[in-house]
């Protein structure tokens, strides 16, 4: 029990240190992580490099792959783009093993002490974030020391040593052991840390450690598979691809390259099992990627056969996914994209409402009402997601940006509400066969065109954070205010001259009032943009 508690305590410190280091690195990277979305092209090599880089920062291939499943599920990337990221994640996760395998644990308390001092007394935010990463780095090594000290008494247990040696003579047992440990702790990095702790105490020879490494590589796929439950078909295929990629990589090394791998690591670090294991981890993942990258298309096809069927075309929420919240900087990108998507859905509601009125089309009127309900649900889901995001570690600037988006999604929802009002007015016109003069229709089309321009430009300004375009929207809104007053006066004159039916006049005035309010909301969206570009 003393050994068990010691290992659990050391493992806890190891995982906590890794988490602190990851958070510090993510904060220090800041908005640079957002650029990942722009780098995700069909270029598989670039995707591999991005996957390796992001995983080196978040310190977990499982977390990176779960995030990729979230990207795919949210429609932010295609399966063909996810392929390179998944491969790269396997390479990036080897960084931790490389760091831990160096015998620098004696300096860990000094690193923690100095880093805590810097963290407490510096006022520079970037320096404080890097100090946090080094605090985690030191705690990680202290955890490794705890695990090593706890495992040391097992040197006297011949039965335990015989069990570990059997992994070398019977590789299947080693693979199963590595798989079971990784599934249990849900972290390949933690499993690797345990093996390195065993190696540092001389308890496991490299011949036995290699099959365990292969098992760890298979076990890490389970996290993504569990994460894909409840996701769409493409996300499930991404998880299936991860499983296939790691399975074939493991199979290739067990069957063909195990001897070559053993010779290579012995040549690089003779007698140093921790360094041999870390190098084996790196060589294994890089080589697997180089071998299987040209066949990624075939693996994608196989994943599609495992998860058959056509992709569902979901309506409403498209880009946000709770899995992406693990990397707040990237989640912020998905929130922005979702807000713009919601804005465009509301725009389609407005377009249908106006066309329903001018074309006297009941189908477009009904479509407006249906879309308005979709926008309402989108606002609820997006607001809930944004609250979760603000509870994560994000910078003050990003927090203020999210706060601004709360107001923006409310403005967008109100646009859909006014579109529904116009649809109901159109429905009343059709039900009562109301007459509108050519002059009235022309005036309505003029103000509708101006309002649609203002709203469309406000969304474009939000997408590009374009201050000049935002100012233009505010100017258009002023024009709409003046035009609304002018049209109201001219229509009252027509009513007084008995050139228009009074009931039609009420409908006319209500429509231009709703359009003027839509322009107000477009102006609000643009004012929020101007707050961001100051």
């Amino acid at each position: 029990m003393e050994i068990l508690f010691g290992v659990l305590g050391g493992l806890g410190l190891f995982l906590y240190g890794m988490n602190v280091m990851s958070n510090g690195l993510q904060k220090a990277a800041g908005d640079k992580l957002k650029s990942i979305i722009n780098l995700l092209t069909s270029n598989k090599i670039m995707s591999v490099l991005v996957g390796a880089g992001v995983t080196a920062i978040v310190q977990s291939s499982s977390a990176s792959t779960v995030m990729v499943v979230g990207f795919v599920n949210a429609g932010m990337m295609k399966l063909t783009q996810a392929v390179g990221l998944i491969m790269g994640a396997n390479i990036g996760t080897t960084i931790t093993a490389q760091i831990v395998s160096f015998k620098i644990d004696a300096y860990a308390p000094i690193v923690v002490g100095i880093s805590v001092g810097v963290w407490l007394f510096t006022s520079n935010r970037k320096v404080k974030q890097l100090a946090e990463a080094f605090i985690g780095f030191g705690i990680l090594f202290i955890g490794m020391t705890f695990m090593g000290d706890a495992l040391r008494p097992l040197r006297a247990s011949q039965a335990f040593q015989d069990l570990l040696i059997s992994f070398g003579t019977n590789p299947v047992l080693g693979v199963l052991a590595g798989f079971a440990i990784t599934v249990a702790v849900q972290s390949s990095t933690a499993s690797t840390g345990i093996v390195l702790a065993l190696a540092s105490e001389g308890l496991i020879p490299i011949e036995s450690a290699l099959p365990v490494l292969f098992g760890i590589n298979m076990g890490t796929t389970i996290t993504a598979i569990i994460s894909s439950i409840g996701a769409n078909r493409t996300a499930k295929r991404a998880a299936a691809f991860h499983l296939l990629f790691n399975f074939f990589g493991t199979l290739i090394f067990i069957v063909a390259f195990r001897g070559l791998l053993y010779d290579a690591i012995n040549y690089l670090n003779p007698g140093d099992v921790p360094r041999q294991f870390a190098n084996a981890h790196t060589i294994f993942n890089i080589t697997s990627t180089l071998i299987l990258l040209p066949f990624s298309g075939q693996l994608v096809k196989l994943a599609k056969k495992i998860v058959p069927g056509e992709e569902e075309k979901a309506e409403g929420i498209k880009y946000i996914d709770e899995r992406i919240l693990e990397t707040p900087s990237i989640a912020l990108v998905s929130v922005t994209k979702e807000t713009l998507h919601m804005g465009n859905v509301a725009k389609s509601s407005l377009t249908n409402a106006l066309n329903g009125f001018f074309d006297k089309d009941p189908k477009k009127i009904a479509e407006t009402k249906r879309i308005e309900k979709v926008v309402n649900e989108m606002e609820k889901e997006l607001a809930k997601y944004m609250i979760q995001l603000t509870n994560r570690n994000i910078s003050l600037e990003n927090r203020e940006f999210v706060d601004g988006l709360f107001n923006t999604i409310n403005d967008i929802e109100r646009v859909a509400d006014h579109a529904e009002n116009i649809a109901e007015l159109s429905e009343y016109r059709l039900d009562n066969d109301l007459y509108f003069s050519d002059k009235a229709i022309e005036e309505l089309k003029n103000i509708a065109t101006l309002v649609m321009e203002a709203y469309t430009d406000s969304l474009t300004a939000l997408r590009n954070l374009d201050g000049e375009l935002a100012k233009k929207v505010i100017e258009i809104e002023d024009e709409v205010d003046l035009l609304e007053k002018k049209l109201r006066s001219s229509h009252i004159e027509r009513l007084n001259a008995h050139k228009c039916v009074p009931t039609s006049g009420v409908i006319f005035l209500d429509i231009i009032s709703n359009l003027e309010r839509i322009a107000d909301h477009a102006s609000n969206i643009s004012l929020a943009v101007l707050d961001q570009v100051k």
Side-chain angles (χ1 to χ4, degrees), residues 243-254:
L243 174 65
L244 290 170
F245 172 64
N246 284 20
F247 171 76
F248 283 112
T250 299
L251 188 64
I252 288 168
F253 267 86
I254 289 177

Side-chain angles (χ1 to χ4, degrees), residues 309-502:
E310 293 297 321
E311 189 50 69
E312 309 94 336
K313 292 185 179 179
E315 188 174 34
I317 291 297
K318 184 176 180 181
Y319 294 111
I320 57 173
D321 189 287
E322 289 193 6
R323 301 167 186 85
I324 307 174
L325 284 169
E326 295 303 316
T327 312
S329 296
I330 299 176
L332 187 62
V333 176
S334 68
V335 165
T336 305
K337 289 172 75 73
E338 195 66 73
T339 301
L340 289 165
H341 173 54
M342 179 182 168
N344 285 319
V345 173
K347 180 182 173 182
S348 71
S349 177
L350 178 57
T351 300
N352 276 289
L354 293 171
N355 289 339
F357 178 83
F358 293 125
D359 300 339
K360 299 180 182 180
D361 189 337
K363 289 183 180 178
K364 290 176 181 176
I365 293 170
E367 181 67 1
T368 302
K369 294 181 177 181
R370 187 191 66 79
I371 295 173
E372 194 275 336
K373 290 182 175 61
V374 173
V375 173
N376 284 346
E377 289 302 313
M378 290 181 74
E379 185 195 24
K380 291 176 187 175
E381 290 296 317
L382 188 48
K384 178 183 172 184
Y385 189 85
M386 287 160 65
I387 290 170
Q388 290 178 290
L389 178 57
T390 54
N391 289 329
R392 301 289 173 129
N393 286 317
I394 61 175
S395 66
L396 179 61
E397 292 86 353
N398 286 341
R399 193 175 300 278
E400 289 175 349
F401 182 72
V402 174
D403 289 343
L405 287 180
F406 273 110
N407 294 324
T408 297
I409 63 172
N410 181 62
D411 283 308
I412 290 170
E413 192 274 334
R414 292 296 297 144
V415 168
D417 285 344
H418 289 300
E420 185 182 36
N421 291 344
I422 293 171
E424 289 172 350
L425 293 167
S426 303
E427 193 170 41
Y428 186 84
R429 178 197 180 188
L430 287 178
D431 291 344
N432 294 276
D433 195 24
L434 297 179
Y435 169 76
F436 282 79
S437 66
D438 291 342
K439 180 65 175 176
I441 293 295
E442 181 185 350
E443 288 176 344
L444 286 173
K445 284 184 176 179
N446 287 339
I447 191 171
T449 300
L450 204 57
V451 169
M452 187 62 82
E453 180 186 355
Y455 181 61
T456 302
D457 285 350
S458 71
L459 295 179
T460 304
L462 176 61
R463 178 183 294 107
N464 304 323
L465 289 181
D466 187 336
E468 291 303 313
L469 188 57
K471 290 176 183 177
K472 178 191 169 187
V473 172
I474 295 169
E475 291 172 0
I476 294 174
E477 193 271 333
D478 290 336
E479 289 181 43
V480 171
D481 285 346
L482 293 172
L483 183 57
E484 192 260 351
K485 290 176 183 176
K486 180 182 175 182
L487 295 182
R488 186 177 292 274
S489 297
S490 64
H491 197 70
I492 289 172
E493 287 177 9
R494 285 197 297 273
L495 284 171
N496 291 333
H498 304 291
K499 295 180 179 179
C500 185
V501 179

Side-chain angles (χ1 to χ4, degrees), residues 114-382:
I114 294 173
S115 300
V116 167
V118 172
W119 187 84
L120 285 172
F121 295 109
T122 187
S123 57
N124 186 301
R125 189 179 62 190
K126 187 69 71 175
V127 172
K128 187 181 282 282
Q129 290 164 347
L130 288 172
E132 183 180 337
F134 275 104
I135 291 169
F137 177 78
I139 293 173
L140 182 150
F141 273 97
I142 292 171
M144 282 295 297
T145 303
F146 268 58
M147 278 197 284
D149 290 344
L151 290 167
R152 191 167 297 139
L154 291 175
R155 287 177 176 176
S157 173
Q158 189 61 44
F160 184 76
Q161 291 191 40
D162 289 344
L163 174 65
L164 294 182
I165 290 170
S166 70
F167 294 163
T169 55
N170 189 347
V172 175
L173 283 178
V175 171
L176 290 174
F179 179 84
I181 293 170
T182 307
V183 171
V185 299
Q186 287 290 292
S187 170
S188 61
T189 307
S191 305
T192 303
I194 293 170
V195 176
L196 284 169
L198 289 167
S200 67
E201 296 302 320
L203 289 167
I204 185 168
I206 191 62
E207 296 87 350
S208 300
L210 289 182
V212 176
L213 169 64
F214 300 145
I216 290 171
N217 190 59
M218 287 300 301
T220 193
T221 64
I222 300 302
T223 306
I225 290 171
I226 293 171
S227 174
S228 70
I229 296 172
N232 61 33
R233 279 195 181 91
T234 308
K236 287 185 173 73
R237 288 167 181 167
F241 175 87
H242 187 212
L243 174 65
L244 290 170
F245 172 64
N246 284 20
F247 171 76
F248 283 112
T250 299
L251 188 64
I252 288 168
F253 267 86
I254 289 177
V255 174
F257 292 147
R258 188 178 164 206
L260 287 174
L261 179 62
Y262 177 73
D263 291 341
I265 57 178
N266 257 327
Y267 174 78
L268 291 171
N269 299 96
D272 189 343
V273 177
R275 290 295 304 136
Q276 289 176 344
F277 184 80
N279 286 331
H281 195 202
T282 302
I283 293 169
F284 167 67
N285 282 296
I286 291 176
T287 306
S288 295
T289 300
L290 291 174
I291 292 172
L292 294 174
L293 185 60
F295 302 99
S296 59
Q298 285 75 13
L299 291 178
V300 168
K301 289 179 182 177
L302 187 54
K304 287 180 178 178
K305 288 183 178 179
I306 294 173
V307 185
E310 293 297 321
E311 189 50 69
E312 309 94 336
K313 292 185 179 179
E315 188 174 34
I317 291 297
K318 184 176 180 181
Y319 294 111
I320 57 173
D321 189 287
E322 289 193 6
R323 301 167 186 85
I324 307 174
L325 284 169
E326 295 303 316
T327 312
S329 296
I330 299 176
L332 187 62
V333 176
S334 68
V335 165
T336 305
K337 289 172 75 73
E338 195 66 73
T339 301
L340 289 165
H341 173 54
M342 179 182 168
N344 285 319
V345 173
K347 180 182 173 182
S348 71
S349 177
L350 178 57
T351 300
N352 276 289
L354 293 171
N355 289 339
F357 178 83
F358 293 125
D359 300 339
K360 299 180 182 180
D361 189 337
K363 289 183 180 178
K364 290 176 181 176
I365 293 170
E367 181 67 1
T368 302
K369 294 181 177 181
R370 187 191 66 79
I371 295 173
E372 194 275 336
K373 290 182 175 61
V374 173
V375 173
N376 284 346
E377 289 302 313
M378 290 181 74
E379 185 195 24
K380 291 176 187 175
E381 290 296 317
L382 188 48

Side-chain angles (χ1 to χ4, degrees), residues 61-82:
S61 62
S62 297
S64 294
T65 308
V66 166
M67 189 169 64
V68 170
V69 170
F71 283 153
V72 175
N73 190 54
M76 293 178 72
M77 86 171 59
K78 299 176 182 177
L79 182 58
T80 51
Q81 294 172 312

